[in-house]
Amino acid sequence: MTAGLWQNWVLPGIWITVQLLVYSAALAGVVAFVVGMARTHRSRFVRFLAGFYTEIFRGTSALILMFWLFFVLPPLLGWQLVPMWAAVLALGLSYGAYGAEIVRGALNSVAPAQREAGVALSFTPGQRMRLILLPQAIPEMLPPFCNLLIELLKGTALVSLLGVGDVSFAAYLVRLATQESAQIYTISLVIYFVLAFGITRSMKALEKKTKSNIGVAISGGGAK
């Protein structure tokens, strides 16, 4: 593969993939926490709405949703999404539904005595969530969130079907230009592996930091 192909297609493709990952992960994170916390809400109606959202977006294909946002939604609303943002919306909404279950499970894993302690201290539900439940639940969320991020990274390859110039689309163009599949697809595998490895190491460091912070807080409270 020539330097021109690398500079004009592969490197920009890596940058597009990273952008897709960051934007989709940000949207998925917001959706995961909002919907996941709603699934533990006292109101049955709120829990129903959150559960309905989760089931809908877990049960539909991210690729078909991407096509729907790009091809079906514009005639209905009268405006067109650019492929990049159609992809971000589809990936963020879909993977956010999976993340919501991670958040719900982690919140429910906190010992009931911790909730009761918050009630005894006259904390509001928001204070109990912010000061008691989330600090203990977040470290438990990080390992499954790491797996979800890696799945999201691999899911970004779907955007090549909309003509977005990510790593997969760049590999397709290079293969057409050179008629060589082995080299470019091997390089693509390595690129995805390096990105996934970076995510894994970053999330492990974050998990270690959050758990050590909780340990300091607990030991400090015990000393008092």
Side-chain angles (χ1 to χ4, degrees):
M1 185 170 61
T2 65
L5 293 176
W6 180 264
Q7 293 175 2
N8 294 326
W9 289 346
V10 179
L11 288 180
I14 295 172
W15 175 235
I16 291 293
T17 294
V18 171
Q19 288 184 80
L20 281 166
L21 176 63
V22 171
Y23 297 149
S24 301
L27 176 58
V30 172
V31 170
F33 275 93
V34 171
V35 177
M37 289 189 291
R39 296 212 64 185
T40 65
H41 199 273
R42 292 175 298 173
S43 169
R44 180 176 297 180
F45 180 68
V46 173
R47 294 198 306 271
F48 169 78
L49 289 179
F52 182 75
Y53 173 90
T54 301
E55 294 304 323
I56 289 294
F57 283 91
R58 283 195 310 174
T60 54
S61 165
L63 177 60
I64 301 303
L65 177 60
M66 197 180 301
F67 286 160
W68 193 90
L69 290 171
F70 188 69
F71 294 111
V72 179
L73 192 62
L76 297 178
L77 299 182
W79 48 267
Q80 178 75 55
L81 281 171
V82 298
M84 178 80 164
W85 294 114
V88 168
L89 277 175
L91 293 172
L93 294 174
S94 297
Y95 284 86
Y98 291 100
E101 285 299 284
I102 295 173
V103 173
R104 181 192 63 82
L107 289 173
N108 287 338
S109 70
V110 177
Q114 298 292 322
R115 300 173 185 267
E116 295 167 4
V119 173
L121 292 171
S122 300
F123 284 179
T124 65
Q127 287 175 321
R128 293 198 296 271
M129 180 66 71
R130 180 170 55 89
L131 300 175
I132 297 176
L133 299 179
L134 280 177
Q136 296 182 68
I138 284 177
E140 303 303 319
M141 299 177 195
L142 292 179
F145 267 148
C146 178
N147 290 333
L148 192 62
L149 272 175
I150 292 173
E151 288 299 319
L152 177 55
L153 168 65
K154 293 184 285 187
T156 60
L158 297 174
V159 306
S160 62
L161 297 176
L162 292 182
V164 179
D166 72 319
V167 170
S168 298
F169 191 70
Y172 171 72
L173 294 179
V174 171
R175 186 184 67 82
L176 289 181
T178 63
Q179 298 300 311
E180 294 181 3
S181 301
Q183 183 184 29
I184 184 56
Y185 284 123
T186 301
I187 291 173
S188 298
L189 286 175
V190 172
I191 290 170
Y192 280 110
F193 171 77
V194 170
L195 292 173
F197 185 76
I199 291 171
T200 301
R201 301 310 302 173
S202 299
M203 293 297 284
K204 283 187 179 295
L206 182 59
E207 180 185 0
K208 183 177 180 180
K209 180 177 176 58
T210 55
K211 287 186 175 180
S212 66
N213 287 343
I214 289 179
V216 170
I218 292 173
S219 63
K224 291 180 180 179

